[in-house]
Amino acid sequence: DEVVQGVRVRALKSLMGAVQRTVEFRNGTPRTFELVWVDFQGAQQTYSVLKPGAHQVLSSFVNHVWLLRDQKSGEATDIVVVIAGSGTQRVVIAT
């Protein structure tokens, strides 16, 4: 099983959320990443590709789960959960 940040990827799934939130992903690495939304059944849906130095702003919901997957290796490197708050939730990829 694939494990990221001590969590089995297969066990992840988004929860229904009624509160919308803007999320900004910023790639500060020389690698290309896929932004992958983990749906309510745990299926992974590739949303977009984030090239080196690029950023992506998207609309999501609180309690939605996103994976950052290295496009070259296919390895999931980070798990992002949208949290409640004001303004934009910022995610910087730095490794």
Side-chain angles (χ1 to χ4, degrees), residues 6-91:
V7 177
R8 286 194 350 225
V9 171
R10 218 170 50 172
L12 294 171
K13 62 182 172 182
S14 289
L15 301 176
M16 284 290 215
V19 178
Q20 198 167 8
R21 181 108 195 255
T22 300
V23 183
E24 178 185 9
F25 291 90
R26 185 169 298 278
N27 186 357
T29 77
R31 301 187 295 175
T32 299
F33 290 89
E34 294 177 355
L35 297 180
V36 179
W37 179 58
V38 182
D39 72 14
F40 307 116
Q41 288 75 41
Q44 297 180 21
Q45 311 288 330
T46 300
Y47 183 83
S48 68
V49 174
L50 196 59
K51 295 188 178 201
H55 74 281
Q56 170 82 43
V57 177
L58 55 89
S59 182
S60 191
F61 289 87
V62 171
N63 294 324
H64 280 198
V65 177
W66 293 84
L67 286 177
L68 298 172
R69 191 172 287 286
D70 184 294
Q71 191 177 48
K72 185 175 182 180
S73 71
E75 173 190 7
T77 60
D78 288 292
I79 299 167
V80 176
V81 178
V82 181
I83 58 173
S86 61
T88 299
Q89 180 175 335
R90 291 182 175 27
V91 178

